[in-house]
Amino acid sequence: MKMQIFIEPEDVWLFRDGKPFDAGSDHRARSLFPPYPNVMQGVIRSHQIILQGIRLNDKKRISSEIGTSTDYKNFSMRGPFVAKLNDNGLTPYFPAPADATPFSDTQLKSAPPKKPASDVLTSHTGLLPSLCFAHGNPTKQEYGTWLKYKELLKCLRGDAVEPVSEKELFQRESRFGIEIEANAKRVTKEGQLYQTEFIRPCPNVGLYVEFDGYEDWPQSGLLRMGGEGHAGRYQSVGQFDLPKLGETLTRFKVYFASPAYFSKGWRPEKWDDYFEGDVTLEAAALKGYETIGGYDVANNRQKAALRFVPAGSVYYFSSRSGAKLKKEAITDTLPNNNDITKIGFGQVIVMEIK
C-alpha cells in the first residue's frame, strides 16, 4: 500500500549530521533539516515494527519481516522533503539550484554554461565549461536558499524567481547539556559540557514522505522522530510528482532533489549506467559535499562516513542522438552493496534547456 504522509512536530526535532558526537570530543551537535533519507527510512521502518507488534529484541523476526540496514525487503521511499500544508493544499520546498545566482534585489536565476566555452575548468574527465554567474549587479543583501516547488521548476527553465529564506520555514534553537556519570550518584562530569542544535518548524511546516511496501498503516498517528525521540504527528495527504525525462532530449539539465552517492566523488564511473543514448557532461554546479554516516544501533558502532553530492546540485548534459533516463534515481550503490535508490537517495528533476 502506497502512503503519502505529511509530518508535523509535536515539539522541536533533532536530526544530526554525519559527524560522530560525544561529549568531550566535539561540544556541538549540528542539526539538519530535512533529515537525510536514511534517517527517515529508519523512522518509518521502526514504526512498522511497532505496528506489527514485534518485540525489539526479536532480531530474527525483524530481519524476516522488516529487513536489515541494507535489505529493505518490499519497502521503498521517496523524501523527506520540506513542505507546508494549509487550506490551499501541500506546498513542497526545495534547495535553490546551485547554479542560481542573484538576478535582482529579490530574485535568483539559473546561470547557463558559457557559449562558446572560452573558460574551462579542469576535472577528472577532462575540461568542463564554466558557468556564467554574472546576471547583473549582485549586492550584499541576503537571498533565500529555498524555492517553492513550482518556483523551482520555473528556475530550472531559466526564469527569475523569488527565493524563500530558511527563517520562513524553520528556526534553529541551541540548547546546552552536560554529561552525567553512569553510576548511582548520577553527578555531572567535569568539562563535559555540550551544545545541541534543534529544529523548530514554523506553523504548518513539516516533512512530506512517500513510501510503499507496508499494509494497513493508519491514515494518521504519531511517529518517534530523530534524536531524543521527539514526536511527529502525521496525516495522509495527496502526492506530487517530480518531472522526469520523457522524450529524447539533446540539451538538458539534471537537478538533484535529494543527495546522491557516486563512486568517483562528484560523478559516477560512467553516465551510461543512467541514460539511454550518448551523453556528455557539459558543466556542473555543486554546493560542496555532504558527509553521511550515522550510528549502527544493531551492531553498536559508527557507520562508515561517505561523501555525497548534496541536494540542489545541477549537472548540464548534451546528447548527439537524444537521451532518455533509464532509472527513476541517479545514485551509485554504496560500497557495502546497499541500493539506496530504494530509500530516496538520488531523486532528480530533469529539464530541457531551451
Side-chain angles (χ1 to χ4, degrees), residues 297-310:
V297 177
N299 297 299
N300 193 31
R301 64 187 181 189
Q302 292 287 342
K303 297 178 182 178
L306 300 172
R307 291 183 176 182
F308 282 64
V309 169

Side-chain angles (χ1 to χ4, degrees), residues 47-199:
H47 194 64
Q48 176 68 5
I49 293 174
I50 295 173
L51 292 177
Q52 294 297 311
I54 303 175
R55 297 180 62 180
L56 297 181
N57 61 356
D58 191 347
K59 294 184 178 182
K60 184 176 181 180
R61 187 180 172 193
I62 291 175
S63 177
S64 174
E65 298 189 22
I66 310 299
T68 65
S69 60
T70 58
D71 177 12
Y72 306 108
K73 298 295 184 181
N74 296 323
F75 176 81
S76 61
M77 189 190 80
R78 188 179 71 151
F81 302 121
V82 175
K84 179 180 288 188
L85 182 65
N86 51 33
D87 294 339
N88 297 322
L90 185 79
T91 303
Y93 290 80
F94 292 87
D99 67 336
T101 57
F103 181 72
S104 69
D105 287 344
T106 60
Q107 294 180 313
L108 300 177
K109 190 174 183 180
S110 288
K114 289 183 177 179
K115 286 189 172 294
S118 56
D119 297 327
V120 294
L121 300 176
T122 303
S123 73
H124 294 294
T125 55
L127 299 177
L128 292 178
S130 60
L131 298 177
C132 181
F133 284 119
H135 286 302
N137 298 312
T139 68
K140 292 183 179 180
Q141 176 178 334
E142 274 193 31
Y143 290 83
T145 57
W146 295 86
L147 293 176
K148 294 180 180 179
Y149 177 49
K150 291 182 179 179
E151 294 295 288
L152 171 65
L153 299 184
K154 291 180 181 179
C155 187
L156 293 176
R157 294 188 186 105
D159 298 331
V161 296
E162 292 192 11
V164 175
S165 69
E166 176 181 293
K167 293 181 179 179
E168 295 180 60
L169 297 174
F170 57 92
Q171 304 289 327
R172 297 183 183 273
E173 297 182 4
S174 293
R175 301 180 182 181
F176 288 90
I178 190 166
E179 189 177 1
I180 304 297
E181 292 281 5
N183 54 34
K185 293 182 179 181
R186 303 294 293 170
V187 296
T188 59
K189 284 187 177 182
E190 184 176 353
Q192 298 300 295
L193 182 71
Y194 61 88
Q195 182 182 8
T196 306
E197 184 182 76
F198 290 85
I199 299 296

Side-chain angles (χ1 to χ4, degrees), residues 107-352:
Q107 294 180 313
L108 300 177
K109 190 174 183 180
S110 288
K114 289 183 177 179
K115 286 189 172 294
S118 56
D119 297 327
V120 294
L121 300 176
T122 303
S123 73
H124 294 294
T125 55
L127 299 177
L128 292 178
S130 60
L131 298 177
C132 181
F133 284 119
H135 286 302
N137 298 312
T139 68
K140 292 183 179 180
Q141 176 178 334
E142 274 193 31
Y143 290 83
T145 57
W146 295 86
L147 293 176
K148 294 180 180 179
Y149 177 49
K150 291 182 179 179
E151 294 295 288
L152 171 65
L153 299 184
K154 291 180 181 179
C155 187
L156 293 176
R157 294 188 186 105
D159 298 331
V161 296
E162 292 192 11
V164 175
S165 69
E166 176 181 293
K167 293 181 179 179
E168 295 180 60
L169 297 174
F170 57 92
Q171 304 289 327
R172 297 183 183 273
E173 297 182 4
S174 293
R175 301 180 182 181
F176 288 90
I178 190 166
E179 189 177 1
I180 304 297
E181 292 281 5
N183 54 34
K185 293 182 179 181
R186 303 294 293 170
V187 296
T188 59
K189 284 187 177 182
E190 184 176 353
Q192 298 300 295
L193 182 71
Y194 61 88
Q195 182 182 8
T196 306
E197 184 182 76
F198 290 85
I199 299 296
R200 184 180 295 278
C202 296
N204 302 320
V205 174
L207 296 170
Y208 172 82
V209 185
E210 293 179 11
F211 62 95
D212 201 358
Y214 296 147
E215 301 294 331
D216 302 324
W217 258 60
Q219 295 299 300
S220 62
L222 291 176
L223 297 170
R224 184 181 175 92
M225 300 280 291
E228 299 190 359
H230 290 197
R233 182 178 64 257
Y234 78 87
Q235 60 179 297
S236 178
V237 294
Q239 73 178 59
F240 73 97
D241 294 319
L242 299 179
K244 297 293 193 300
L245 183 59
E247 298 179 357
T248 56
L249 301 178
T250 55
R251 297 182 66 238
F252 59 96
K253 65 169 70 173
V254 175
Y255 168 90
F256 282 85
S258 63
Y261 169 79
F262 293 125
S263 60
K264 297 298 182 181
W266 63 277
R267 63 179 180 85
E269 181 72 36
K270 52 185 179 179
W271 290 106
D272 294 347
D273 293 339
Y274 300 101
F275 295 100
E276 294 179 3
D278 67 286
V279 292
T280 300
L281 179 64
E282 298 289 352
L286 288 82
K287 299 179 179 180
Y289 62 86
E290 300 274 9
T291 300
I292 301 181
Y295 193 77
D296 186 346
V297 177
N299 297 299
N300 193 31
R301 64 187 181 189
Q302 292 287 342
K303 297 178 182 178
L306 300 172
R307 291 183 176 182
F308 282 64
V309 169
S313 299
V314 179
Y315 290 66
Y316 287 79
F317 292 92
S318 64
S319 174
R320 295 188 302 274
S321 60
K324 287 186 177 181
L325 195 64
K326 287 183 180 179
K327 304 176 182 180
E328 287 294 308
I330 298 179
T331 183
D332 288 351
T333 300
L334 296 188
N336 61 357
N337 294 321
N338 186 352
D339 180 10
I340 53 175
T341 61
K342 295 191 67 176
I343 58 172
F345 283 99
Q347 293 291 306
V348 295
I349 297 175
V350 181
M351 191 69 64
E352 183 178 11

